[in-house]
Amino acid sequence: MAQRSLSATGRSVSRATRVAASAGVGVLAAAVGYLVTYLLVVDEVREAFGDSVADWMGVAWYYYNAHFVEIEAYGEVGGFSRTDTVDLIAQSETTSSVAAYAIPPLVLVAVGAILASQFDARNLGEAVLVGAPVTIGYAVVMGLGAIIAESSTEASFFGIDAAESMAPELLPAVVLGGVLYPVVFATAGAVAAALIRSQ
């Protein structure tokens, strides 16, 4: 009886360890994807925004666009306001920025495959258990990043107040970029690796 209880506890600790490790790797995957995007588009960011936007923030906007999350641009002058959405990659004509669309899926598939190999997943259930929790860490980074990557300015001209801001749309950043992308791609990478290992 005690032996059965110990082995059940061992399995639950093992599962908890897998989930925690996968969540941590989700944070790492988001960071790696951002860094690769930085290398691809930082020159374009500098050309497009100059000194008005920090390089890291402009690259973050491209990174969110690579997840099909649009950037919300808000402007207000003298009580009149307007909100638009912007997709910087779609507006770009450079190959390097368009290639940014491929970065999140590739990184997530690779991460899922690595986790499946690391935890010796050999069937669909085991692959899902190591691939899907990547979402936890990835969603946290995407949600926090959307809040941090907001640029806002205020000014006053002849007594008329003006303000503008740009930031990734928060709900799509979390749901589309933070949840859907890793659930689909990290899990797909884990499943593919598990199927290969089971042959």
Side-chain angles (χ1 to χ4, degrees):
M1 188 99 160
Q3 189 173 3
R4 186 181 300 166
S5 173
L6 275 172
S7 76
T9 304
R11 275 199 302 275
S12 68
V13 169
S14 176
R15 182 174 289 175
T17 301
R18 289 180 183 190
V19 169
S22 295
V25 170
V27 172
L28 182 64
V32 168
Y34 173 82
L35 290 173
V36 175
T37 304
Y38 189 97
L39 295 173
L40 276 178
V41 303
V42 68
D43 291 335
E44 185 170 338
V45 167
R46 289 172 181 159
E47 192 175 308
F49 297 107
D51 294 332
S52 62
V53 173
D55 291 348
W56 70 265
M57 188 177 298
V59 171
W61 295 345
Y62 276 79
Y63 188 56
Y64 280 93
N65 284 165
H67 292 80
F68 294 99
V69 174
E70 294 191 325
I71 307 305
E72 187 174 74
Y74 171 82
E76 182 179 348
V77 178
F80 297 97
S81 63
R82 181 177 175 177
T83 303
D84 290 315
T85 55
V86 181
D87 187 333
L88 299 167
I89 296 176
Q91 294 176 358
S92 174
E93 296 178 1
T94 65
T95 307
S96 60
S97 61
V98 173
Y101 283 126
I103 293 169
L106 290 175
V107 170
L108 287 165
V109 166
V111 159
I114 291 167
L115 283 168
S117 297
Q118 185 68 30
F119 289 114
D120 197 30
R122 293 183 180 272
N123 60 50
L124 182 62
E126 291 176 351
V128 170
L129 284 175
V130 298
V134 169
T135 303
I136 299 167
Y138 206 84
V140 168
V141 172
M142 294 298 284
L144 289 175
I147 294 167
I148 294 169
E150 179 178 0
S151 171
S152 59
T153 56
E154 294 180 5
S156 184
F157 304 97
F158 305 109
I160 299 172
D161 293 329
E164 63 178 14
S165 67
M166 283 182 74
E169 294 182 305
L170 183 58
L171 188 60
V174 174
V175 175
L176 179 59
V179 175
L180 191 60
Y181 259 74
V183 162
V184 171
F185 294 110
T187 305
V191 167
L195 292 175
I196 290 167
R197 290 173 68 83
S198 67
Q199 297 299 321

